[in-house]
């Protein structure tokens, strides 16, 4: 759940407590180039106030007008499509002939939304399923491999706590990585007990944690939406943090260093610590995608690219594979 979606959930709970009626709108499916992905949602209050987005523009305006006209009343969820024809796509500002299929809940079940919020606050992943025929909503346990599903009757969306990134080390790469990660909606936390590095940390929005990195990993109670990257080059700091992180449910654990140094690190973790081969195999090292990065900002880009690929369950192709594919398809890559 990104920050915008978290704001939707917080808003509807406030509105319900204040006695407002509201509708919940979720992107179920898209065709063409759509402004927001499936799973994005927005809340629309009875007085026209909006939280969240399903298109970033005219569709929200149309839904507000329909709410004002009393068209979004009732209790049963229903399907609403936009951009079915080229004229409608132009009218609603959908690029490249995009089509959105939305599920509209005119009277969402606030009890299930409260349960969802409680699960997220506890660091759990949860699935929210809507049965359009029965008008029923169910909340159940989810896992990181779960995906949004939609068959025209049942819509199931995955929700969870905010994505978090713990960076071990407050060096130059960390500064770029922290700024870039925040742009992708990560809550960024930094831990570096070395005063000469931590004293000058001043990246806005990135929290500097006190103490040793391994203690920080334990105290954060890492969940399946947490990532850890060790960047100090100091085994006394990196290895102890990795020891705890590799035993956690964190979806990504990486460490800076050459192939040779990471091979030595894996051997140390297996020989001297209580880690299994499966746990050590989770380590991404050398950290980041091989994009020829040399400078700190380039290295930060490669790290965040690999984190993003892992988060989205995508196996990135190499540059050589892309060139080979382009050659077979007749495409030219400059």
């Amino acid at each position: 759940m990104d920050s915008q979606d978290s704001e939707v959930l917080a808003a509807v709970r406030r509105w319900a407590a204040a006695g407002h009626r509201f509708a919940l709108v979720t992107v179920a499916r898209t065709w063409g180039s759509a402004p927001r992905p499936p799973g994005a949602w927005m809340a629309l209050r009875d007085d026209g106030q909006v939280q969240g987005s399903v298109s970033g523009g005219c569709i929200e305006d149309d839904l507000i007008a329909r709410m004002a006209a009393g068209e979004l009343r009732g209790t049963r969820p229903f399907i609403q499509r936009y951009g079915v024809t080229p004229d409608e796509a132009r009218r609603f500002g959908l690029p490249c002939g995009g089509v959105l299929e939305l599920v509209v809940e005119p009277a969402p079940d606030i009890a299930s939304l409260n349960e969802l919020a409680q699960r997220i606050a506890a660091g759990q992943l949860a699935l929210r399923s809507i049965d359009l025929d029965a008008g029923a909503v169910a909340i159940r346990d989810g896992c990181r491999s779960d995906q949004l599903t939609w068959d025209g009757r049942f819509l199931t969306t995955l929700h969870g706590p905010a994505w978090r990134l713990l960076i071990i080390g407050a060096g130059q790469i960390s500064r770029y990585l922290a700024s870039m990660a925040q742009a992708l909606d990560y809550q960024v936390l930094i831990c570096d007990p070395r005063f000469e590095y931590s004293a000058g940390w001043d990246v806005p929005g990135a929290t500097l944690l006190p103490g040793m990195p391994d203690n920080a990993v334990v105290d954060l109670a890492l969940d399946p939406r947490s990532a850890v990257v060790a960047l100090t080059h100091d085994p006394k700091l990196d290895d102890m943090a990795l020891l705890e992180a590799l035993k956690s449910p964190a979806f990504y654990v990486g460490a800076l260093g050459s192939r040779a140094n990471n091979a030595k690190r894996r051997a140390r973790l297996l020989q001297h610590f209580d880690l299994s081969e499966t746990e050590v195999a989770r380590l991404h090292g050398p950290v980041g995608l091989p994009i020829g990065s040399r400078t700190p900002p380039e290295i930060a880009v490669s790290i965040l690219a690999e984190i993003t690929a892992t988060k989205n369950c995508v196996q990135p192709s190499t540059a050589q594979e892309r060139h080979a594919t382009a050659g077979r398809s007749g495409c030219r890559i400059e």
Side-chain angles (χ1 to χ4, degrees), residues 29 36 46 55 57 73 77 89 105-106 152 155 173 210 256 320 325:
R29 181 157 46 196
R36 290 280 280 150
D46 49 12
S55 78
R73 293 187 177 275
E105 299 173 71
L155 173 65
I173 295 173
L256 190 67
Q320 290 83 355
T325 301

Side-chain angles (χ1 to χ4, degrees), residues 225-237:
R225 294 202 166 191
S226 301
V228 178
V229 179
L231 302 176
T232 71
H233 278 300
D234 184 343
K236 296 189 298 296
L237 300 177

Side-chain angles (χ1 to χ4, degrees), residues 89-113:
R90 285 190 294 271
R91 174 190 170 197
F92 292 109
L94 294 172
C96 304
V99 178
L100 293 179
E101 189 168 77
L102 309 176
V103 169
V104 181
E105 299 173 71
D109 175 36
I110 190 61
S112 70
L113 292 173

